[in-house]
């Protein structure tokens, strides 16, 4: 890797951890001295990040950081709060609805439970650096997680489940699609109705028992996240069987 590319990677990490959208970078002279390189090499490194859409050079004013999408891993153990804060941002989760449901055939199929089983719905609005970005409907196995609505009041839901029930959750699958926002979603996420949301439906299972404890439907602003999918081990023959997903129990308006 060329020196300017190494500097670009180091500068990118520094920006993600220590700068916010709208901030300006230090001068080229200061950065060149910091990385012990000449200004020509530094300029090539900065050009790499400009081409990547991370920086904007404004003549007479300097080089400005552009608002960036947060990288989020679609992985078995990924959690919203931890993933966002690992990127150097402040994550917040606010509960906006709690409701006890009876699973109909669609929801029962999604959660691998019998129709008529009790399901606790908790809906959370997630924010990054004070900006609402994601609305998540958590459908929770009410029998396995009794009184979860009383215990959970924000932050990481999976951490709450680990603390109060000693259960560790792992994502079994995540299905990604695009959907136009409902009026309610548009208002809550402060997002126009003519732009799509990124929707991720996940089955989260108990690591020890294999039962589905949570079926979640997350709708996120498309300008807020870049989902990263990293291939893992080859699935077993049983896991590789393609199954059509059930209809989304989180009805769009």
């Amino acid at each position: 890797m060329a020196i300017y590319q190494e500097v670009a990677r180091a500068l990118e990490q520094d920006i993600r951890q220590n700068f916010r959208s709208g901030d300006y970078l230090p001068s080229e002279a200061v950065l060149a001295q910091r990385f012990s390189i000449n200004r020509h090499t530094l300029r090539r490194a900065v050009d790499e990040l400009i081409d990547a859409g991370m920086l904007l050079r404004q003549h007479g004013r300097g080089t400005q950081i552009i608002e960036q999408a947060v990288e989020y891993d679609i992985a078995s153990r990924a959690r919203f709060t931890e993933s966002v804060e690992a990127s150097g941002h402040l994550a917040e989760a606010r509960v906006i609805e709690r409701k006890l449901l009876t699973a109909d055939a669609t929801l029962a199929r999604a959660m691998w439970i019998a129709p008529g089983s009790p399901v606790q719905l908790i809906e959370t609005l997630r924010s990054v650096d004070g900006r609402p970005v994601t609305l998540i409907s958590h459908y929770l196995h009410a029998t396995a997680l009794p009184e979860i609505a009383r215990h959970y009041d924000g932050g990481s839901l999976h951490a709450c489940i680990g603390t109060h029930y000693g259960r560790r959750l792992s994502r079994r699958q995540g299905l990604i699609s695009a959907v136009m926002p409902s009026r309610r979603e548009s208002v809550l996420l402060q997002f126009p109705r003519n732009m799509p949301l990124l929707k991720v439906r996940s089955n989260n299972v108990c690591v020890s028992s294999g039962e589905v404890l949570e079926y979640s439907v997350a709708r996120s602003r498309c300008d807020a996240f870049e989902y990263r999918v990293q291939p893992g081990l080859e699935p077993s023959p049983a896991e590789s069987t393609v199954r059509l997903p059930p209809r989304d129990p989180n009805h769009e308006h």
Side-chain angles (χ1 to χ4, degrees):
M1 182 182 294
I3 293 177
Y4 77 90
Q5 292 175 317
E6 294 179 359
V7 172
R9 300 291 79 77
L11 187 57
E12 177 183 358
Q13 184 176 7
D14 184 38
I15 289 170
R16 292 190 183 278
Q17 293 178 348
N18 301 311
F19 291 83
R20 293 182 180 273
S21 174
D23 289 348
Y24 283 86
L25 289 181
S27 68
E28 289 185 352
V30 170
L31 290 174
Q33 182 177 14
R34 173 187 164 188
F35 289 106
S36 301
I37 56 176
N38 60 50
R39 292 180 65 172
H40 174 73
T41 302
L42 185 281
R43 194 170 293 117
R44 289 192 66 184
V46 170
D47 286 343
E48 284 274 297
L49 301 184
I50 290 174
D51 291 341
M54 192 172 208
L55 299 175
L56 176 66
R57 184 178 283 121
Q58 301 196 46
H59 295 289
R61 300 185 64 183
T63 303
Q64 187 178 33
I65 289 92
I66 302 174
E67 187 168 9
Q68 293 298 300
V70 176
E71 289 188 359
Y72 183 73
D73 284 319
I74 302 297
S76 62
R77 293 285 296 132
R79 294 175 177 172
F80 178 91
T81 303
E82 288 83 345
S83 296
V84 169
E85 292 182 345
S87 300
H89 298 272
L90 176 63
E92 297 176 281
R94 178 167 63 91
V95 176
I96 60 175
E97 185 175 7
R98 296 180 177 89
K99 185 187 299 184
L100 189 62
L101 308 175
T102 298
D104 59 14
T106 300
L107 185 55
R109 189 162 61 250
M111 297 186 67
W112 308 347
I113 57 178
S117 299
V119 173
Q120 178 68 57
L121 168 64
I122 298 179
E123 196 163 55
T124 58
L125 182 63
R126 308 298 178 107
S127 300
V128 174
D129 298 331
R131 179 178 64 141
V133 294
T134 299
L135 182 64
I136 307 180
S137 299
H138 308 269
Y139 298 90
L140 299 155
H141 195 311
T143 302
L145 304 172
E147 299 190 329
I148 181 61
R150 182 172 65 85
H151 292 307
Y152 177 71
D153 194 34
S156 171
L157 175 60
H158 289 191
C160 173
I161 291 173
T163 298
H164 290 281
Y165 303 94
R167 305 286 193 98
R168 187 163 64 93
L169 271 62
S170 176
R171 181 183 280 116
R172 175 61 58 86
Q173 69 173 358
L175 301 175
I176 306 173
S177 59
V179 62
M180 301 306 291
S182 66
R183 184 181 302 277
R184 177 174 179 267
E185 290 164 345
S186 176
V187 171
L188 287 171
L189 294 172
Q190 300 174 18
F191 194 66
R193 294 196 68 184
N194 62 349
M195 292 182 65
L197 299 174
L198 295 173
K199 182 167 72 172
V200 178
R201 291 176 289 158
S202 301
N203 288 105
N204 297 305
V205 305
C206 177
V207 172
S208 59
S209 68
E211 64 183 325
V212 176
L213 295 185
E214 177 197 19
Y215 172 68
S216 67
V217 182
R219 288 88 73 204
S220 301
R221 296 174 53 127
C222 64
D223 60 346
F225 291 99
E226 290 180 344
Y227 291 126
R228 176 164 49 192
V229 181
Q230 295 179 307
L233 299 175
E234 288 295 320
S236 67
E239 291 175 326
S240 63
T241 302
V242 176
R243 297 196 300 175
L244 292 177
R247 285 180 52 201
D248 184 358
N250 183 72
H251 299 293
E252 308 295 340
H253 301 291

